């Protein structure tokens, strides 16, 4: 455990230069006193680490010292290869880089672990696009990825609705979500999200100063939640059964289902509750609630309630007709087939 931590400390200083004690402690998830002891142990072992005091002080490696660590544990190599995601990497034009990295990882493994690349690729595969959707790589994805890597601004033509608009964007990151690529970029001092397949033209411009406080994973989580909630522009009141509540997430999505559960009143003797359900529109709510069948009853608004009631009556009539005229194996009522 300590040996792995000492190696991590050396690699951190090697990759980042000078680091303070608190920064090292946060990265290694230990106390500052433990960092001090580890630095002393490394110095006694011959690793040239210098400690500098003062406002801009910290720990650093002397004389361009570089570790020659090449051995990887099997689990570490498997994790690295699993993180490679060859499909999306190829979409961004990184096929050669990924292949080279895999070869170097293989070369760093002990002879008994050389089966790791085949073991990983034979057991795990990422298929990012959703079901029933064509997987198409956006034509300008590689150019956008290049701009992200180089911190180069973009002059872009972007399709917005039925019109093309010109944008100057400072690209900070790319996200692959359910088979669709998105670019997170700063425009006019604000961060926005653009669908990559809507870019019509892109031109690399001058380098820009990246916002070092920008964290792509956290930004995407916030944006996704805000986007999902922004779609919920209407509300309906429903009575819903325990089975309906369990199925609600799958039918209406996470934000709407979560809000409905939070707003639910006390259950009655059968477990039914009254709640307010945020929805995108009454038309969307109609389609969603049909899938819940008799497990939900709309109380308001009246137009949606009447529309669902008409559909329920039509279904009841349809199946009542089956009772009067049983359907044959051909799918036609028995009275029809007998007359043919």
């Amino acid at each position: 455990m300590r040996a792995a931590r000492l190696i991590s400390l050396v690699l951190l200083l090697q990759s980042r230069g000078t680091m303070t004690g608190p920064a090292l402690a946060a990265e290694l998830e230990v106390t500052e006193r433990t960092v001090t002891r580890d630095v002393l142990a490394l110095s006694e072992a011959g690793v040239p680490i210098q400690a500098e005091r003062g406002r801009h002080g910290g720990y650093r490696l002397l004389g361009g010292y570089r570790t020659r660590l090449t051995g990887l544990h099997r689990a570490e190599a498997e994790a690295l290869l699993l993180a490679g995601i060859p499909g999306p990497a190829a979409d961004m034009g990184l096929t050669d880089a990924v292949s080279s990295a895999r070869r170097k990882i293989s070369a760093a493994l002990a002879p008994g672990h050389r089966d790791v690349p085949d073991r990983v690729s034979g057991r795990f595969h990422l298929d990012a696009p959703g079901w029933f959707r064509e997987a198409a790589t956006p034509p300008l994805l590689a150019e956008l990825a290049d701009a992200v890597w180089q911190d180069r601004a973009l002059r872009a033509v972007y399709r917005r609705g039925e019109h093309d608009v010109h944008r100057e964007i400072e690209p900070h990151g790319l996200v692959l979500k359910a088979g669709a690529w998105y670019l997170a970029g700063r425009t006019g001092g604000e961060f926005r999200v653009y669908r990559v397949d809507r870019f019509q033209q892109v031109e690399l411009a001058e380098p820009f100063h990246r916002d070092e406080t920008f964290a792509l994973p956290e930004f995407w989580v916030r944006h996704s939640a805000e986007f999902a909630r922004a779609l919920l522009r209407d509300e309906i009141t429903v009575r819903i059964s325990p089975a309906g509540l369990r199925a609600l997430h799958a039918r209406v999505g996470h934000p709407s289902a979560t809000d409905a559960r939070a707003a639910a009143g006390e259950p009655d003797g059968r477990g039914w509750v009254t709640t307010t359900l945020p929805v995108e529109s009454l038309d969307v709510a109609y389609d969603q609630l049909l899938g819940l069948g008799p497990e939900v009853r709309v109380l308001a608004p009246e137009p949606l309630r009447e529309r669902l009631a008409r559909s329920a009556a039509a279904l009841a009539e349809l199946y009542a007709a089956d009772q009067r005229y049983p359907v044959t194996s051909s799918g036609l009522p028995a009275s029809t087939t007998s007359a043919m």
Side-chain angles (χ1 to χ4, degrees):
M1 180 71 175
R2 190 189 185 199
R5 189 176 70 241
L6 293 175
I7 292 171
S8 296
L9 193 154
V10 173
L11 293 176
L12 282 169
L13 294 179
Q14 182 174 297
S15 62
R16 302 188 188 181
T18 301
M19 292 186 68
T20 65
L24 282 168
E27 286 283 352
L28 300 171
E29 298 182 351
V30 295
T31 64
E32 291 183 48
R33 177 171 292 186
T34 298
V35 169
T36 302
R37 287 199 298 264
D38 287 349
V39 168
L40 180 60
L42 287 167
S43 297
E44 292 175 349
V47 179
I49 299 181
Q50 180 180 18
E52 298 179 348
R53 297 183 180 278
R55 181 180 178 184
H56 301 290
Y59 298 103
R60 68 183 182 91
L61 295 171
L62 292 177
Y65 176 86
R66 306 286 294 180
T67 180
R68 294 291 184 265
L69 296 170
T70 57
L72 286 172
H73 297 301
R74 173 181 286 272
E76 294 170 335
E78 288 175 346
L80 284 173
L81 290 166
L82 191 58
I85 316 180
D91 291 344
M92 291 187 289
L94 300 175
T95 301
D96 292 342
V98 171
S99 298
S100 176
R102 291 173 67 88
R103 287 194 297 270
K104 290 180 179 179
I105 292 174
S106 298
L109 293 172
H113 299 333
R114 296 286 166 81
D115 65 323
V116 165
D118 291 337
R119 172 183 169 85
V120 172
S121 62
R123 286 168 170 76
F124 298 99
H125 174 68
L126 174 66
D127 185 10
W131 286 104
F132 315 115
R133 180 179 299 174
E134 285 275 338
T137 301
L140 298 175
L141 176 60
E143 287 85 346
L144 292 172
D146 194 32
V148 170
W149 282 118
Q150 297 184 43
D151 291 338
R152 295 277 297 275
L154 291 168
R155 297 186 184 96
V157 179
Y158 186 77
R159 175 59 58 90
R160 187 172 183 179
E162 300 297 323
H163 305 283
D164 289 344
V165 295
H166 293 263
R167 291 286 183 266
E168 292 189 2
I169 305 170
E170 296 175 349
H172 277 61
L174 285 164
V175 174
L176 177 61
K177 170 72 171 179
W181 286 93
Y182 299 87
L183 176 75
R186 184 168 54 190
T187 305
E190 295 183 2
F191 282 98
R192 300 180 182 180
V193 172
Y194 302 87
R195 274 190 66 118
V196 170
D197 59 6
R198 293 181 184 169
F199 281 96
Q200 307 301 303
Q201 298 176 28
V202 294
E203 177 187 348
L204 291 183
E206 64 281 351
F208 68 91
H209 294 290
R210 183 181 179 85
D211 185 346
E212 297 300 332
T213 66
F214 177 80
L216 182 59
E218 289 81 356
F219 168 79
W220 182 255
V221 169
R222 290 196 306 272
H223 168 78
S224 299
E226 291 168 0
F227 176 76
R229 291 196 179 279
L231 293 176
L232 305 176
R233 303 184 182 93
D234 215 331
E235 286 185 346
I236 62 175
T237 305
V238 297
R239 288 281 291 170
I240 189 166
S241 72
L245 272 179
R246 290 192 295 270
L248 197 58
H249 185 279
R251 294 301 309 170
V252 304
H254 171 70
S256 184
T258 300
D259 288 357
R261 286 178 177 273
E266 290 295 320
D268 63 14
R270 298 184 301 155
W272 285 63
V273 296
T274 299
T275 189
T276 301
L277 181 67
V279 294
E280 184 175 342
S281 67
L282 295 188
D283 287 338
V284 172
Y286 170 79
D287 291 333
Q288 292 172 332
L289 297 182
L290 275 181
L292 290 174
E295 304 302 329
V296 64
R297 179 186 177 194
V298 173
L299 303 181
E302 192 61 28
L304 177 60
R305 175 182 168 88
E306 292 176 354
R307 186 177 177 187
L308 286 166
R310 288 195 299 270
S311 295
L315 281 170
E317 176 62 25
L318 183 65
Y319 285 100
D322 286 349
Q323 298 300 315
R324 296 193 297 270
Y325 307 106
V327 176
T328 66
S329 59
S330 66
L332 296 174
S335 58
T336 303
T337 56
S338 63
M340 293 177 61

